[in-house]
Each structure stands twice: as C-alpha cells, then as structure tokens.
Amino acid sequence: MSDTASNIVDCESGEGQAPLVGIIMGSDSDWNVMQAAHEVLVELGIPCEVDVVSAHRTPDKMVRYAREAAERGLKVIIAGAGGAAHLPGMTASLTTLPVIGVPVPLKTLDGMDSLLSIVQMPGGIPVATVSIGGAKNAGLLAARIVGAFDADVQARLANYARELEALVETKNTALKARVSGAE
C-alpha cells in the first residue's frame, strides 16, 4: 500500500471496519464545511476516512488516492473544493467510483465559482454535485449509494428519515402554538 493510506484519518464509525466512504478536501480550511459529511456518516455508522488532497498542490497524491480508492475498499468519494474546485472532477477522471462534489464557499463569489466548476463536467466524467456548502447532503447521498447494496444501511437511513419526519412534526406543533397564542 502506498503512503497515501498512512495519511488518512479514520472516522469514528463502523466498529473497526475498513472505510467505505472517502472524504477529501483541498485544504484543512475546508473542514468547517466538510465536517457535516463526516458527522452524518458517523451517525449512520458508515466507516469513512478523511484526508486533505489538493488537485493543485499535491497532484501526485490525488492521483494515488483516486486510483487506489476502490482497491482499498471505498465505495464512494466525497470531494470538497473551493475556488477553481478541480478536486472532484479530477478525482472522478481517475476512478470508476461515484464521486460527490461539495462546492466550498470562499470569501469571494460565495461558492458560485466552485459550484459552476464542479457541476460543469464534460461528458463521460460524471460528478454528483450538492449545493454550496452542502456536505451533509453529500454524506447522506454517499450513505444512500452504500445503502443500495447494504440492508443494514438502508434500515438506518429509513430510521433517519423517520426521525426527520418527527422533528418536522414537533416544529409544526410548536409553530401552531406560537401562532394561536399570538392571535
């Protein structure tokens, strides 16, 4: 195994299982956005890994990571990037695994540059793209991809959906109480 694996931080999920989802980002400063993907995967018990892999500053590492990902057991890669946002597309060009791009907002252009860069992939190199800063949905989409072949993950996702439904109903009840009290 290459030195890429030694730089990877395993997520605290999956009870020692090999990671199924890779979360990569161009800089550690992207963690404040990408952490949401990590959190939802941990909540769903899906083993994952986190690594800084820059398409521009560490291109050789990016190539190794993408080319070795399937061999190491990954099923999905979530790639967050800001600015020119080449990491998701370049990663997708180097692997047959599904890649989910997360546009990371920067101080200028509020992430629109990243969104447009990630979503405008040429034919033949698909990258699923979530909203600007939408790492939580990227984590959920990765979980659904893994869950398509894992009944336990499907059950955890169904429970997650039920919890969301209950939360909405709780908020609805609270809103109705506020409105009726205001009249």
Side-chain angles (χ1 to χ4, degrees):
M1 195 171 308
S2 77
D3 63 336
T4 301
S6 65
N7 296 322
I8 295 168
V9 176
D10 289 326
C11 299
E12 297 294 325
S13 65
E15 300 175 11
Q17 297 174 348
L20 297 177
V21 178
I23 302 171
I24 58 175
M25 62 212 79
S27 171
D28 65 337
S29 64
D30 297 338
W31 179 243
N32 64 333
V33 170
M34 299 304 293
Q35 183 174 2
H38 172 263
E39 289 170 353
V40 76
L41 290 167
V42 168
E43 181 180 343
L44 292 168
I46 298 171
C48 58
E49 63 186 27
V50 175
D51 203 2
V52 174
V53 180
S54 172
H56 302 112
R57 293 179 292 267
T58 61
D60 292 335
K61 180 180 180 181
M62 177 197 62
V63 170
R64 283 191 310 274
Y65 184 92
R67 289 200 172 143
E68 296 173 359
E71 177 183 311
R72 291 187 303 102
L74 293 184
K75 304 301 180 199
V76 185
I77 298 171
I78 300 171
H86 290 130
L87 183 61
M90 289 303 299
T91 299
S93 76
L94 295 162
T95 185
T96 57
L97 295 177
V99 175
I100 304 167
V102 178
V104 175
L106 301 177
K107 292 178 184 175
T108 57
L109 303 177
D110 296 323
M112 280 301 295
D113 51 343
S114 306
L115 173 65
L116 294 173
S117 178
I118 295 170
V119 80
Q120 293 293 338
M121 290 304 300
I125 310 295
V127 174
T129 309
V130 296
S131 63
I132 296 168
K136 181 176 185 177
N137 273 351
L140 288 167
L141 181 55
R144 287 179 175 202
I145 292 168
V146 171
F149 307 97
D150 185 321
D152 290 337
V153 173
Q154 286 178 18
R156 291 192 298 270
L157 282 164
N159 186 57
Y160 182 88
R162 284 189 297 276
E163 290 173 1
L164 281 179
E165 185 177 355
L167 177 64
V168 169
E169 191 52 41
T170 299
K171 289 181 177 188
N172 183 43
T173 301
L175 176 62
K176 286 182 178 190
R178 281 196 335 246
V179 169
S180 67
E183 296 178 340

